Amino acid sequence: MSTSYQQAMQRWFNALPRREQSAVRLGVIGGGVMVLLVILLILHRMQSRAELRITHKREDLAYIQSVLPELTAAPAQSTGQSLVAEVDDSASSAGLKDALKGTEPSGTQGVIVRFESAPLPALLTWIVRIQREYNAKVTAATIEKTSSNGLVNATVTLVGP
């Protein structure tokens, strides 16, 4: 089938005057160049976006590494409050009071914590501190980016000691 199609195209092309054959050749070459340019532009845009994501991830990593010594040096302490109260207090002191949207009990010693539009560095610092200072364990966490740069929505499931 493809052979008959190729033969038909060849007959059609050969039947064209020489001037129109040149125009068709030029059109085919121009179309091929345009397709290649579009592919190159798409690849360039993808590379630029990847480089930007890598830059943001490196900045986040640098911040985490800069506060890690402070967080690991903090002594473990428990106030004797319920895990829900410790979550509320620690979120407020971490600057996440406005981002904290809810806490729900989960099992006998657990709590599910929801944040909306929380600054990622503050959230990560809070997660480390709640584990370190209150001996809570993170059993699940979901962090999703928002349309605002540096802000995330998160759900963190904690279990108390």
Side-chain angles (χ1 to χ4, degrees), residues 106-125:
S106 173
T108 57
Q109 294 181 330
V111 64
I112 299 171
V113 187
R114 285 185 309 107
F115 294 95
E116 291 180 7
S117 298
L120 180 61
L123 179 67
L124 295 175
T125 302

Side-chain angles (χ1 to χ4, degrees), residues 33-49:
V33 168
M34 288 178 62
V35 167
L36 286 174
L37 284 175
V38 167
I39 290 171
L40 288 174
L41 287 172
I42 290 170
L43 290 173
H44 178 68
R45 183 183 308 156
M46 290 172 61
Q47 178 192 8
S48 297
R49 287 181 180 168

Side-chain angles (χ1 to χ4, degrees), residues 94-155:
L96 294 169
K97 183 177 183 178
D98 292 336
L100 180 62
K101 296 301 178 192
T103 54
E104 303 172 20
S106 173
T108 57
Q109 294 181 330
V111 64
I112 299 171
V113 187
R114 285 185 309 107
F115 294 95
E116 291 180 7
S117 298
L120 180 61
L123 179 67
L124 295 175
T125 302
W126 174 81
I127 289 173
V128 171
R129 282 194 176 146
I130 195 79
Q131 292 181 96
R132 176 82 175 145
E133 295 178 6
Y134 301 103
N135 294 321
K137 302 287 183 233
V138 175
T139 59
T142 303
I143 300 174
E144 299 171 342
K145 68 179 182 175
T146 65
S147 59
S148 300
N149 196 17
L151 299 180
V152 296
N153 294 334
T155 302

Side-chain angles (χ1 to χ4, degrees), residues 61-89:
L61 178 62
Y63 173 77
I64 291 169
Q65 288 175 335
S66 73
V67 298
L68 192 58
E70 172 191 339
L71 296 175
T72 56
Q77 53 182 309
S78 180
T79 62
Q81 298 181 47
S82 70
L83 185 56
V84 172
E86 289 178 350
V87 164
D88 288 338
D89 290 348

